[in-house]
Amino acid sequence: MSSLPSYASPLQRTWHYTFRVICGLIFFFLVFPILVIIPLSFNAQDFFTFTPEMLALDSAGYSTKHYVDFFTNPDWQKALQNSFMIAPTATLLATVLGTLAAIGLSQPHVPFRSVIMAILISPMIVPLIIAAAGMYFFYSRIGLQGTYWGVVMAHAVLGTPFVIITVTATLVGFDNSLVRAAASMGAGPITTFFKVQMPLILPGVVSGALFAFITSFDEVVVVLFLGSASQKTLPWQMFIGLREQISPTILAVASIMVVLSVVLLTVLELLRRRSERLRGVTPA
Amino acid sequence: MRQSLKDLREAVANKTHTRLGTRLNYEQSGFSSLMRKSGRAVEKIESPDVKGQLIAADSAWGDPVIWQTLKLYSGTTTKGYFLSAVDARQSIDGVEMLPEGERVYLMLFGRTLMMSLAITLLCALIGYPVAFLLAQLPMRTSNMLMILVLLPFWTSLLVRTSAWKVLLQQQGVINDLLVWIGLLGDDTRLVMMNNATGTIIAMTHILLPFMILPLYSVMKTISPSYMRAARSLGANDWTAFWRVYFPQSVPGIGAGAVLVFILAIGYYITPELVGGTSGIFISNRIAYHISSSLNWGLAAALGALLLVAVLILFYVYDKVVGIDNVKLG
């Protein structure tokens, strides 16, 4: 399939190229909506579509005013600040808890392993609206609703399953005799963990942490319910903006976030390669 | 009768009678104003003619339905919310369905299921060729193309939803393009947003990576020699694919489909922003009852039903794929 043999019939040839065109269209469908907002965010008008000036590539049709608005408008700046206050703390919590859970669950003697696993993974599967509603009722009773720590804890809960999954995956390739070797040479469990196990499972931990970060950074449903105005995050501000007063500043924010996700994607790809190198698997 | 008066006085003293009115109003309209009115009048009522004075305060007290409803909901627990969630209600004659025109939630559950199915089907149809191509190409090329799948996967949900809002609007990019080409007149612009079409297009795009990635990982394990063997035994391309390759890729379709369906059924943000009124899901109704109408009991009942559906699917997913085998990226 990857390359046509020289004896291919005309029909096979036609299908071969038709199939590629179809796939090309699907890739276009996947990427076009994301890429189209980048040029649109430089629109000099407050429209959500290409103006004739923009199509004529006239420099008068383009401006950075939406970006200027994002960086000077106090609402957006507060939201950005809140996002960067909440996401790292939630990520830290999720990473520590998730890594510990994954290591614990990888031990063969843990009873009810699959049940515990299912419960810990469930925040990823349960519809967000249900998780948000449940947390809202529960957190209001214990006074966490509308507080910074309430939002952080809720986001940590949502991020933990990703850390558990990625760390569990790296632990599959982890050789447990290394731990025994370290112990036999007199290292305590804590030293063994930080000096032997941690460096080897680090790629899994970091990619889990990235997932947890993006979960918190991108999360809007839970924060809508649990947060008060002083925890308004970037996605919240975008959600309000999209629902009520549509302002083109959203496109500028969206473009910045696309660039951010490209950076994240690159980091993850580099991590994956490093992990494969460490395990001695050479990419084909 | 005296006991009722005593209870009502106590409720007024604790200022809970308006809440009682709001709650009973869900079951029988008229209770809210009845409670407010009677609350003001209750201090002046004296025995012996409690009944007459109650009716004088609000004529609704003379209606037996009011008393029957009171009796029906006097217990400490109720299945009223769950009945409302499936468009039924408790009446004096037992459980009955609401009249045809008032059945909102069953319709909404049905729509959520149908639209999630449509999205899952579309994802499978669109995702299969791409996963197939990625699995056939040499590693270097497929890694490059994989970035095109992973970029949307990693992009913020709100960014993708706003992109679709920009594209699908009546004054948006797609309509402008079609008008510019001449396929559409300026007055016949397509309505692709604030309806079910908008929700389906946007959600298919958003959930497509969740179909492609599990499909790809299953297809990677299918050895190409099976197809070659089939062809050497005289099968043509189509037969070799359909009889040999496709059955082996079915577990991937299953894994992807259950995942996409589970995610779709509980979606909130995208239907809320591009769905209008005809494209919203049950989640949007739950959110509405929590934050706007404050009917928390009904929200909880609707949520519980949705949760049960998802947990059943989760169980199926665990049996088909195994949670331990969930992979990310």
Side-chain angles (χ1 to χ4, degrees):
Chain A
M1 189 67 213
S2 51
S3 59
L4 268 179
S6 51
Y7 51 82
S9 68
L11 190 70
Q12 278 173 322
R13 247 168 234 282
T14 323
W15 171 241
H16 179 83
Y17 291 110
T18 322
F19 184 73
R20 303 231 153 168
V21 170
I22 294 172
C23 287
L25 286 175
I26 299 170
F27 281 123
F28 180 75
F29 171 72
L30 272 169
V31 177
F32 175 71
I34 294 166
L35 296 184
V36 79
I37 47 182
I38 295 177
L40 277 177
S41 68
F42 291 101
N43 198 336
Q45 307 291 323
D46 285 347
F47 294 138
F48 278 106
T49 186
F50 290 101
T51 55
E53 293 84 29
M54 292 183 88
L55 291 175
L57 294 178
D58 184 350
S59 62
Y62 294 87
S63 94
T64 52
K65 69 173 193 172
H66 304 311
Y67 288 88
V68 173
D69 184 44
F70 173 64
F71 285 112
T72 52
N73 187 326
D75 279 350
W76 283 107
Q77 283 309 298
K78 185 84 184 86
L80 183 69
Q81 207 184 335
N82 275 332
S83 278
F84 276 114
M85 297 256 293
I86 291 167
T89 323
T91 308
L92 190 70
L93 264 177
T95 313
V96 172
L97 295 177
T99 309
L100 289 177
I103 292 175
L105 286 170
S106 71
Q107 310 291 321
H109 58 78
V110 180
F112 308 114
R113 216 182 135 267
S114 58
V115 178
I116 299 174
M117 191 75 166
I119 292 172
L120 290 177
I121 304 274
S122 64
M124 211 172 85
I125 302 289
V126 170
L128 267 178
I129 192 79
I130 294 177
M135 285 172 178
Y136 175 70
F137 293 138
F138 181 62
Y139 283 17
S140 340
R141 295 224 169 154
I142 56 173
L144 276 172
Q145 198 266 330
T147 63
Y148 168 74
W149 284 105
V151 177
V152 166
M153 278 170 62
H155 280 183
V157 169
L158 297 179
T160 308
F162 294 101
V163 182
I164 295 181
I165 289 175
T166 51
V167 176
T168 307
T170 29
L171 279 173
V172 170
F174 179 75
D175 187 357
N176 260 315
S177 52
L178 291 173
V179 174
R180 282 196 295 274
S184 76
M185 293 178 172
I190 296 176
T191 319
T192 314
F193 175 72
F194 281 108
K195 293 273 179 191
V196 178
Q197 199 165 19
M198 192 64 181
L200 282 168
I201 62 170
L202 197 62
V205 176
V206 174
S207 69
L210 278 177
F211 272 103
F213 182 82
I214 207 87
T215 307
S216 168
F217 201 73
D218 194 21
E219 206 289 322
V220 57
V221 186
V222 168
V223 84
L224 272 177
F225 281 89
L226 279 186
S228 61
S230 53
Q231 282 96 40
K232 192 180 271 188
T233 58
L234 209 50
W236 181 344
Q237 183 73 24
M238 285 181 83
F239 181 73
I240 304 280
L242 280 170
R243 199 166 57 172
E244 280 137 31
Q245 24 104 144
I246 291 203
S247 106
T249 310
I250 287 172
L251 294 184
V253 183
S255 306
I256 294 173
M257 289 177 88
V258 170
V259 173
L260 192 74
S261 44
V262 172
V263 172
L264 271 176
L265 191 62
T266 320
V267 172
L268 265 182
E269 179 63 20
L270 292 177
L271 274 177
R272 195 181 60 81
R273 293 204 181 151
R274 190 188 119 92
S275 146
E276 276 177 355
R277 248 205 334 272
L278 276 181
R279 276 199 244 157
V281 185
T282 42
Chain B
M1 196 51 81
R2 291 239 173 83
Q3 187 57 41
S4 312
L5 188 67
K6 200 170 146 251
D7 286 350
L8 187 58
R9 280 211 173 115
E10 201 178 302
V12 173
N14 296 332
K15 296 196 164 48
T16 53
H17 65 294
T18 47
R19 274 173 61 197
L20 181 68
T22 315
R23 171 64 187 89
L24 285 168
N25 208 51
Y26 295 146
E27 312 298 339
Q28 178 72 45
S29 56
F31 252 110
S32 196
S33 67
L34 174 65
M35 282 297 164
R36 262 183 280 118
K37 262 183 171 172
S38 318
R40 286 193 294 270
V42 74
E43 279 310 312
K44 292 178 217 120
I45 296 174
E46 282 162 17
S47 38
D49 183 22
V50 175
K51 184 181 171 193
Q53 292 179 70
L54 270 179
I55 294 174
D58 192 316
S59 58
W61 286 117
D63 187 351
V65 173
I66 291 292
W67 293 99
Q68 281 157 348
T69 314
L70 265 183
K71 176 101 177 70
L72 209 56
Y73 287 94
S74 57
T76 47
T77 59
T78 174
K79 38 187 201 267
Y81 290 124
F82 274 100
L83 290 174
S84 311
V86 292
D87 291 333
R89 68 170 178 187
Q90 190 140 25
S91 70
I92 323 118
D93 322 315
V95 176
E96 61 176 26
M97 292 300 288
L98 286 182
E100 201 71 53
E102 292 173 27
R103 295 184 187 169
V104 192
Y105 299 113
L106 281 186
M107 190 272 284
L108 213 51
F109 271 115
R111 183 204 285 162
T112 306
L113 282 180
M114 288 314 294
M115 282 175 63
S116 303
L117 268 180
I119 290 162
T120 311
L121 208 69
L122 273 173
C123 280
L125 276 178
I126 300 177
Y128 197 92
V130 169
F132 184 72
L133 182 75
L134 287 175
Q136 304 290 315
L137 287 174
M139 201 62 162
R140 197 167 291 278
T141 330
S142 78
N143 269 349
M144 290 300 289
L145 285 174
M146 196 50 123
I147 292 174
L148 300 182
V149 179
L150 289 176
L151 179 65
F153 183 73
W154 276 99
T155 307
S156 158
L157 172 64
L158 278 159
V159 170
R160 286 180 281 168
T161 308
S162 34
W164 280 110
K165 210 162 169 155
V166 167
L167 288 173
L168 296 176
Q169 277 179 54
Q170 281 202 283
Q171 302 298 324
V173 175
I174 292 179
N175 265 316
D176 275 1
L177 189 72
L178 291 175
V179 170
W180 186 65
I181 297 174
L183 279 176
L184 288 177
D186 206 19
D187 48 342
T188 54
R189 284 165 178 267
L190 298 172
V191 185
M192 293 179 291
M193 214 177 70
N194 293 332
N195 57 21
T197 320
T199 308
I200 289 181
I201 296 178
M203 281 182 62
T204 304
H205 174 254
I206 288 165
L207 295 174
L208 194 51
F210 292 95
M211 178 64 88
I212 296 178
L213 296 174
L215 256 179
Y216 171 74
S217 65
V218 168
M219 285 175 174
K220 257 325 230 196
T221 64
I222 302 175
S223 161
S225 45
Y226 288 118
M227 283 266 264
R228 274 196 299 251
R231 235 166 297 156
S232 77
L233 292 170
N236 63 25
D237 284 352
W238 171 249
T239 320
F241 167 75
W242 184 246
R243 300 281 299 274
V244 176
Y245 192 89
F246 184 77
Q248 296 186 79
S249 67
V250 166
I253 304 180
V258 180
L259 189 60
V260 169
F261 193 76
I262 289 179
L263 291 171
I265 203 174
Y267 243 61
Y268 167 69
I269 296 294
T270 309
E272 181 77 19
L273 291 175
V274 297
T277 47
S278 64
I280 60 162
F281 282 12
I282 196 76
S283 304
N284 304 85
R285 205 66 199 166
I286 297 175
Y288 164 78
H289 280 309
I290 293 172
S291 52
S292 303
S293 83
L294 300 182
N295 190 347
W296 289 358
L298 183 55
L302 290 170
L305 290 179
L306 179 62
L307 184 61
V308 169
V310 171
L311 288 183
I312 293 173
L313 286 166
F314 186 33
Y315 179 77
V316 172
Y317 184 78
D318 187 26
K319 288 287 147 208
V320 175
V321 194
I323 337 168
D324 295 7
N325 296 331
V326 179
K327 289 212 182 63
L328 300 166

